[in-house]
């Protein structure tokens, strides 16, 4: 029986990793959703015709914010696939992206004629993304990485003078292309 304290650091690392990834994805997702909502409506008079109405989303007003939320979503998922220094660097990048999204929400709040709720949600999402990125940058190198089962294994070398017993799928397709039967050894 193992001691309860032996698995605590590993469990804590997995839990922190999950919190950071969820914080990044939730923040970027919230900002992405809020920036695509209608932020302002412009009504223009058209003489004797009914007035014209033009709905403008946050992405129409600040297109770079939407692009940054996509970067945040991709980076949040990439936290799972990285480790060590690369994960810490990714955390710094996500923190910077989150701050930039926050600035976009702040710009939206200062615009005249813009609904306040959507830019405020963009600002909140950017702060959550920045917090997840900062947490990853500070603590990410202690977290577990994807298991070895996701890494590519090198093919075993055949002994000289003996054909390889196990051939890969590509070899079978190449044999079919040459008109050979790949099932015959």
């Amino acid at each position: 029986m193992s001691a309860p304290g032996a698995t605590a650091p590993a469990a804590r690392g997995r839990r922190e990793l999950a919190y950071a990834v969820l914080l990044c994805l939730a923040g970027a997702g919230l900002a992405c959703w809020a920036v695509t909502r209608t932020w302002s409506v412009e009504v223009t008079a058209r003489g004797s015709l009914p007035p014209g109405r033009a709905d403008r989303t946050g992405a129409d007003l600040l297109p770079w914010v939407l692009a940054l939320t996509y970067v945040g979503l991709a980076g949040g998922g990439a936290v799972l696939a990285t480790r060590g220094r690369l994960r810490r660097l990714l955390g710094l990048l996500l923190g910077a992206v989150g701050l930039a999204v926050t600035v976009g929400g702040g710009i939206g709040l200062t615009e005249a004629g813009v609904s306040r709720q959507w830019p405020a949600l963009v600002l909140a999402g950017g702060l959550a993304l920045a917090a997840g990125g900062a947490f990853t940058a500070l603590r990410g190198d202690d977290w577990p990485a994807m298991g070895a089962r996701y890494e590519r294994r090198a093919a075993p070398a055949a002994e000289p003078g003996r054909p390889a017993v196990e051939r890969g799928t590509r070899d079978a397709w190449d044999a079919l292309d040459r008109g050979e039967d790949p099932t015959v050894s």
Side-chain angles (χ1 to χ4, degrees):
M1 182 177 227
S2 64
T7 59
R12 187 189 65 178
R14 285 191 301 273
R15 190 171 44 251
E16 287 179 356
L17 173 63
Y19 290 154
V21 169
L22 288 175
L23 195 58
C24 288
L25 293 178
L30 175 65
C32 184
W33 177 71
V35 81
T36 59
R37 304 297 100 199
T38 301
W39 285 20
S40 68
V41 177
E42 295 177 14
V43 179
T44 56
R46 300 188 306 177
S48 62
L49 295 172
R53 177 185 163 127
D55 296 341
R56 298 191 58 179
T57 66
D60 293 335
L61 299 171
L62 303 167
W64 54 271
V65 174
L66 182 61
L68 288 176
T69 61
Y70 291 151
V71 171
L73 286 169
V79 168
L80 292 171
T82 57
R83 70 179 99 173
R85 287 183 182 166
L86 184 59
R87 183 180 281 163
R88 292 183 78 182
L89 182 64
L90 180 62
L92 289 173
L93 174 71
L94 286 172
V97 167
L99 290 176
V101 170
T102 302
V103 167
I107 290 171
L109 285 173
T110 62
E111 291 289 320
V114 172
S115 169
R116 299 288 178 240
Q117 65 190 12
W118 303 121
L121 287 176
V122 169
L123 190 135
L127 287 175
L129 177 59
F135 189 52
T136 301
L138 293 174
R139 307 268 310 174
D141 55 350
D142 295 336
W143 298 339
M146 292 174 64
R149 66 179 169 202
Y150 297 108
E151 302 216 3
R152 187 175 189 167
R153 293 184 183 95
E159 294 178 23
R162 292 185 60 184
V165 175
E166 196 174 287
R167 295 189 331 188
T169 307
R170 185 176 184 121
D171 292 336
W173 284 107
D174 289 342
L176 283 172
D177 288 341
R178 291 189 304 268
E180 300 172 1
D181 184 1
T183 60
V184 177
S185 296

